[in-house]
């Protein structure tokens, strides 16, 4: 049974805090195993990759077959039915159109002292994208990771995807093709992350690694962080739906289930100012959970981490939502724009009952890689910014240095950094001589 | 002796790779100690903070004296000499003016299908800034961390600064005041990071922690990451100077020394197309190293990690610099703008010989918290973006859902996520009924 809470109850705060702090994920400690795998790939390169792939993926590779050839990709892509290809093309086009708008501008200006100041954005040169194999092999995630990288201008984008027993997902390869991915390798696990970070004879190292993965992949990403950049380590998915009385309970239940079906650790929360709607959604959940394909997963998630909270008004709903800082937030209310103004922390907001969260997973345009586990308080979803970096620019003139240099010298001396001060003073002295 | 390399030598590539991969920092393994300290602060709050501060900082506090009172801050600030106050005010003003320009814009638009898409930026609610005590207690770093946070709109900004034996740096407090810091606590070490992340009876928890610190602070930041956001873990400082024949070797030597004097692990590299200049700078370095206050530190850095590289032309210099991806890059050449166009990876570029790096440390305007250890390949200096997060927005109309919903359903089915598909289908069915 999910938790039923009433925000007007005396013990609500304690119960809500318990809900917020529920530990939903057990990370197995695989750090030592992963350290060994990384060391092995660093030391032996392709040979280690090939051995580990034979062991974990039951697949015999050679340095020549580590990478998919263009012909192999062509052949697999040809298997994709037309309606799936078209859907993926529409998704790619919409995701690209959204992310193109995220490109930040360079700036430079001259200040009143005559100094030129500014900054310049430039892309990461090479990026690697981890794509899980098997059940969680999502072509949509390939688009969501690869398109921002290519929009940012990443020159070389490599994908690693395990193909257990040699089975590849044609839709994943099509997504990679549509996104403009340059290289695709049939490797996975910590060994694939190590290969991307350190390189092997066949695989050139990259500068940034993104994409979801299991505990081994997550541990490997943590370990190579610093050598390369990584994206966030994603936790289980979450949705919070704020709904008023004027909703179809089936719609709301299906939205809650579309997170719950991801993972037994996913969390779905409904907050409503209508006790009648609260009850109706609960009934609809139970009904769908008897027939849904993934009813075991979704049922466990709803039972262990689900919650239905009734509130006296929507302002209270917004305040509670801000404490959750949900990954996905649906505002199924009469005036979603007004309510959105009161939201301070959320990864993505879906406005109005005609915007199911699943639209955002596939074809809306915004990224579906979003901050989980309350981290929307301080972080953002994946974007072109993850594949760009900013170089700051400063150019003094003699006059500008004369104006601001003495202050720099004073501060350098106050911090006991003599050479800092002298580097400014030497130039100021030249001006005084001149 | 620093390394002298000639880019035209046969064995140059190997020597340059060795230089790039030199391990400059030994991080003592303090992880277990830090884990214990964090657990203690989580369990016992203020009591643990007070005990640990008595132990490490030889300072007896009570819950009432953990935080500086306004009167205490006023009294300390009154000690700052006028010329130092004015220098700090100029720095604060220029840093603020630069960072205000970094504020990103919200966007929203309606696409051809009628869907509203966009995003909205919002500040982190509460941030904590670690300020080291003792020798590395730099008021300039307080400005560089605190001003971007306040420009971003952080409502509550707390500083923790250890005051060993009760000694506080008046300039640090003045910098905090100028930057608009809200709370200042006289605690440091891993215990201060734990207090910021988890809160105590006296200190409310924050959402993001930034600022430099020793190995204990760095280990604590790594440990609380996820519970809160953190900035990068900074390594020792670096400068790369590209210079042509038309330079004052004293200026270049002082610029190289202004990194070397920070830390024995700092790295200073000169790349020049003039063998005469290479020699002259080397001679100037040796001369300054006999008199500089911090000659022991700077001398060790120059001896162990310094390098002078001669190149046949400036294009080669730019290419080598891009392999280094330096934190600070000075372009002391006739046409620095043209050379800057060839730079793909650098934290900050200082254009022309009139722009010593020290200007950027204090009063230039750009941030001096910059990516070290080659991480400018994939990351950027501190900015207002570190204190903002982006919420994506999507709002479908029935017409937009009719246009793109079927593709979402197709992809959901292809990924075996039935509830995702049904959440779209239920709405499409309503349209078909209508």
């Amino acid at each position: 049974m999910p938790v039923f809470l009433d925000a007007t109850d005396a013990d609500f705060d304690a119960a809500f805090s318990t809900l917020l702090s529920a530990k939903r994920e057990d990370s197995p400690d695989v750090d030592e195993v992963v350290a060994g795998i990384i060391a092995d790939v660093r030391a032996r390169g392709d040979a280690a990759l090939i051995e580990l792939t034979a062991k974990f993926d039951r697949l015999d590779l050679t340095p020549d077959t580590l990478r998919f050839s263009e012909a192999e990709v062509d052949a697999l892509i040809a298997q994709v039915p037309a309606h799936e290809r078209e859907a993926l093309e529409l998704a790619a086009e919409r995701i690209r159109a959204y992310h193109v708008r995220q490109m930040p501008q360079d700036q430079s200006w001259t200040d009143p002292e005559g100094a030129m100041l500014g900054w310049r954005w430039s892309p990461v040169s090479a990026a690697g994208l981890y794509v899980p194999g098997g059940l969680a092999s999502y072509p949509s995630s390939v688009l969501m990771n690869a398109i921002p990288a290519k929009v940012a201008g990443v020159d070389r984008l490599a994908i690693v995807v395990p193909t257990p027993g040699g089975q590849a997902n044609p839709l994943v390869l099509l997504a990679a093709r549509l996104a403009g991915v340059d290289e695709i390798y049939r490797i996975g696990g910590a060994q694939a992350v190590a290969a991307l970070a350190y390189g092997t004879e066949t695989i050139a190292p990259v500068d940034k690694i993104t994409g979801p993965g299991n505990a081994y992949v997550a541990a490997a990403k943590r370990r190579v962080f610093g050598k390369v950049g990584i994206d966030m380590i994603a936790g289980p998915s979450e949705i919070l739906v704020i709904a008023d009385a004027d909703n179809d309970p089936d719609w709301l239940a299906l939205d809650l289930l579309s997170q719950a079906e991801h993972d037994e650790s996913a969390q779905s929360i409904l907050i409503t100012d209508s006790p009648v709607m609260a009850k109706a959604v609960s009934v609809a959940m139970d009904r769908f959970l008897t027939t849904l394909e993934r009813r075991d997963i979704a049922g466990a998630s709803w039972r262990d981490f689900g919650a239905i909270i009734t509130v006296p008004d929507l302002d209270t709903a917004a305040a509670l939502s801000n404490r959750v800082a949900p990954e996905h937030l649906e505002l199924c209310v009469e005036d979603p724009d007004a309510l959105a103004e009161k939201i301070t922390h959320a990864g993505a907001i879906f406005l109005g009952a005609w915007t199911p969260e699943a639209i955002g997973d596939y074809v809306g345009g915004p990224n579906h890689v979003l901050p989980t586990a309350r981290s929307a308080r301080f972080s953002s979803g994946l974007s072109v910014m993850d594949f760009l970096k900013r170089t700051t620019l400063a150019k003094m003139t003699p006059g500008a240095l004369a104006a601001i240099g003495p202050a720099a010298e004073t501060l350098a001396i106050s911090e006991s950094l003599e050479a800092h001060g002298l580097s400014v003073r030497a130039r100021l002295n030249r001006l005084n001589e001149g």
Side-chain angles (χ1 to χ4, degrees), chain A residues 218-293:
Chain A
K221 281 170 65 180
R222 275 186 198 277
R223 280 210 160 250
V224 302
F225 176 57
K227 166 70 182 166
V228 299
I230 62 169
D231 61 345
M232 67 190 94
I233 308 282
S237 195
E238 308 142 7
I239 189 170
L240 193 155
V241 177
I242 300 179
D244 58 21
D246 187 21
N247 271 287
D248 183 329
D250 280 10
W251 294 12
L252 303 182
L254 287 166
D255 296 353
L256 295 167
L257 287 167
S258 70
Q259 292 312 302
E261 74 175 345
H262 268 298
D263 192 332
E264 294 185 0
S265 306
Q267 183 165 51
S268 304
I269 300 174
L270 172 70
I271 304 184
T272 178
D273 60 354
S274 159
V276 173
M277 183 58 59
K279 179 70 189 164
V281 172
S282 176
V283 169
M285 290 294 283
D286 291 343
R287 178 163 45 83
F288 285 120
L289 280 170
T290 62
T291 57
L292 201 67
E293 282 169 20

Side-chain angles (χ1 to χ4, degrees), chain A residues 343-368:
Chain A
I343 300 301
T344 53
H345 312 306
I349 301 179
F350 302 87
L351 296 124
W354 286 98
T355 318
E357 184 278 323
I359 284 293
D361 281 339
Y362 295 112
V363 296
N367 211 286
H368 78 196

Side-chain angles (χ1 to χ4, degrees), chain A residues 293-305:
Chain A
E293 282 169 20
R294 295 195 183 216
R295 57 185 173 272
D296 289 347
I297 294 171
S301 159
W302 182 239
R303 178 190 69 219
D304 295 340
F305 304 112

